[in-house]
């Protein structure tokens, strides 16, 4: 039976500003303040939850708060602050590239799925303000997040935006170049190490390949996802890379400090792969990662996913 994450813990962590970064068990730790990175992920969870009647009223309230936070976080040059103290003062001059990529991803998702026209217009304002920054991104995950966000925006515009299509191609090709530089028969990956949110790299290339009708990009996405699966699924159990040492090529993979975002990324990437390839094997991969998350977490919404929904596929 399919299970959907409840919003209880997300509601607990949220005040009239945004999501408190950390908790002490199930109690918000206000001293940790807020960050755009987390709020962007929470926005996608809330928007996806608005599609379910039992969550709609709560999800609408949450989404409104999160979108307001991201709008306030954007700087005049299109980038974003990331860290805000509990006193509502921004603590940084500008946020990281990852937080930029996640914010762009969230508003791209909002362009496609926000249930109110006014919210879609706000997402469009933020997206357009940030778009020129995409070409300056240097890090692989920031590029991947941006590609996913731009892919959602492109679908929202009915695949009729040549400038956006070009940007998706440029960022996806940058990821493909990383693959060409680092891949070998025994290491089908984009970098000489695996760190965090790994499956998002494969997902981004797959989405771009499908949008651009580029079989080469799709094949890179499938190759890398198959390889990532071979590393992280053991006896039908998802075993994500731990953050206490990661997994350097030729080295020993870390098995401690595993993060739930790895499961969310694997679920999303595998479902995208299943949709594109029509290979039901990937649905099984998604199920394994899904079960790992729900087996280890009894509280809260899945803050690390795009809302847990299967984009472009009717459930």
């Amino acid at each position: 039976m399919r299970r959907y994450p409840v919003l209880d813990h997300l509601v607990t962590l949220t005040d009239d500003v945004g999501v408190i970064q950390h908790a002490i068990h199930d109690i918000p730790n206000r001293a940790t303040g807020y960050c755009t990175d987390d709020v962007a992920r929470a926005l996608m969870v809330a928007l996806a939850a608005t599609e379910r009647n039992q969550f709609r009223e709560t999800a609408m309230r949450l989404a409104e708060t999160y979108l307001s936070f991201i709008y306030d976080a954007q700087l005049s040059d299109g980038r974003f602050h990331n860290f805000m103290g509990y006193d509502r003062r921004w603590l940084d001059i500008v946020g990281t590239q990852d937080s930029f990529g996640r914010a762009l991803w969230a508003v791209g998702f909002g362009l496609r799925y926000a249930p109110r026209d006014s919210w879609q217009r706000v997402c469009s304002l933020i997206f357009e303000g940030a778009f020129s920054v995409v070409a300056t991104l240097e890090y692989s995950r920031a590029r991947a997040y941006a590609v996913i966000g731009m892919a959602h925006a492109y679908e929202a515009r009915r695949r009729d935006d040549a400038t956006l299509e070009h940007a998706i191609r440029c960022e996806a090709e940058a990821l493909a170049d990383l693959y060409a530089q680092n891949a070998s028969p025994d290491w089908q990956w984009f970098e000489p190490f695996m760190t965090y949110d790994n499956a998002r790299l494969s997902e981004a290339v797959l989405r771009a390949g499908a949008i651009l009708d580029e079989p080469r990009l799709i094949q890179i996405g499938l190759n890398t996802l198959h390889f990532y699966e071979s590393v992280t699924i053991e006896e039908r159990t998802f075993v994500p890379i731990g953050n206490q040492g990661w997994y350097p090529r030729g080295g020993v993979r870390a098995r401690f400090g595993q993060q739930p975002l790895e499961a969310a990324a694997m679920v999303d990437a595998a479902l995208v792969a299943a949709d594109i390839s029509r290979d039901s094997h990937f649905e099984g991969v998604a199920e394994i990662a899904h079960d790992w998350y729900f087996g280890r977490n009894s509280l809260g919404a899945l803050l690390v996913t795009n809302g847990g929904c299967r984009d472009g596929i009717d459930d």
Side-chain angles (χ1 to χ4, degrees):
M1 179 179 179
R2 178 174 294 176
R3 293 169 290 174
Y4 294 94
V6 297
L7 301 179
D8 298 18
H9 190 52
L10 185 54
V11 170
T12 298
L13 289 177
T14 301
D15 58 17
D16 63 336
V17 176
V19 179
I20 301 295
Q21 271 202 81
H22 298 293
I24 303 170
H25 298 294
D26 58 347
I27 300 300
N29 184 356
R30 295 176 177 177
T32 62
Y34 318 86
C35 73
T36 300
D37 190 301
D38 287 349
V39 174
R41 290 183 279 188
L43 174 60
M44 292 185 278
V45 170
L47 290 176
T50 64
E51 298 180 353
R52 306 210 159 268
N53 290 334
Q54 68 268 40
F55 299 141
R56 184 174 176 83
E57 183 178 351
T58 298
M60 293 289 285
R61 185 173 67 253
L62 294 174
E64 191 170 46
T65 297
Y66 303 148
L67 186 55
S68 176
F69 185 100
I70 294 173
Y71 180 79
D72 184 62
Q74 190 166 37
L75 296 158
S76 60
D77 66 359
R79 295 180 295 173
F80 297 87
H81 289 292
N82 193 25
F83 294 111
M84 175 187 277
Y86 189 67
D87 61 358
R88 303 190 180 193
R89 295 177 183 269
W90 290 108
L91 302 177
D92 54 17
I93 296 173
V94 65
T96 62
Q97 289 194 13
D98 272 17
S99 63
F100 171 87
R102 286 196 179 277
L104 191 76
W105 176 8
V107 295
F109 186 88
L111 271 169
R112 189 176 182 185
Y113 293 114
R116 289 182 179 169
D117 290 344
S118 60
W119 292 2
Q120 292 179 17
R121 290 194 293 271
V122 172
C123 286
S124 182
L125 285 172
I126 299 170
F127 187 91
E128 292 303 326
F131 184 68
S132 64
V133 179
V134 172
T136 70
L137 297 176
E138 301 173 306
Y139 299 111
S140 58
R141 281 153 187 79
R143 290 183 189 275
Y145 303 151
V147 168
I148 296 171
M150 290 190 295
H152 285 306
Y154 192 61
E155 296 289 359
R157 294 172 178 175
R158 302 182 184 278
R159 300 195 176 193
D160 186 20
D161 187 325
T163 301
L164 186 51
E165 179 182 329
H166 177 72
I168 292 170
R169 184 180 301 277
C170 288
E171 299 309 308
E173 288 293 350
L175 293 172
D177 287 346
L178 283 177
Y179 173 78
Q181 294 165 21
N182 292 287
S184 66
D186 63 345
W187 185 263
Q188 291 286 299
W189 198 242
F190 301 93
E191 298 167 317
F193 42 76
M194 286 184 176
T195 56
Y196 63 94
D197 225 4
N198 296 293
R200 296 295 179 195
L201 302 178
S202 301
E203 179 189 352
V205 175
L206 283 168
R207 288 186 183 275
I211 281 173
L212 302 170
D213 194 22
E214 286 283 359
R216 179 177 58 88
L217 291 177
I218 291 173
Q219 193 59 56
I220 290 172
L222 294 175
N223 288 349
T224 54
L225 190 58
H226 271 302
F227 179 67
Y228 182 59
E229 174 194 346
S230 74
V231 171
T232 57
I233 293 182
E234 302 175 3
E235 298 181 352
R236 293 192 58 79
T237 299
F238 185 55
V239 186
I241 307 298
N243 65 15
Q244 296 180 21
W246 305 121
Y247 182 26
R249 181 176 187 170
V252 178
R253 54 154 296 175
R255 303 180 73 87
F256 296 99
Q258 298 167 342
Q259 301 180 78
L261 91 170
E262 303 299 340
M266 178 63 108
V267 168
D268 289 343
L271 290 178
V272 170
D275 188 34
I276 292 171
S277 68
R278 302 299 177 186
D279 186 346
S280 61
H281 165 79
F282 289 110
E283 293 182 352
V285 171
E287 190 71 29
I288 289 169
H290 173 276
D291 289 348
W292 178 89
Y293 175 81
F294 278 99
R296 296 172 63 91
N297 295 271
S298 58
L299 283 174
L302 198 55
L303 289 175
V304 292
T305 188
N306 66 4
C309 66
R310 184 173 176 178
D311 303 323
I313 303 171
D314 294 329
D315 286 332

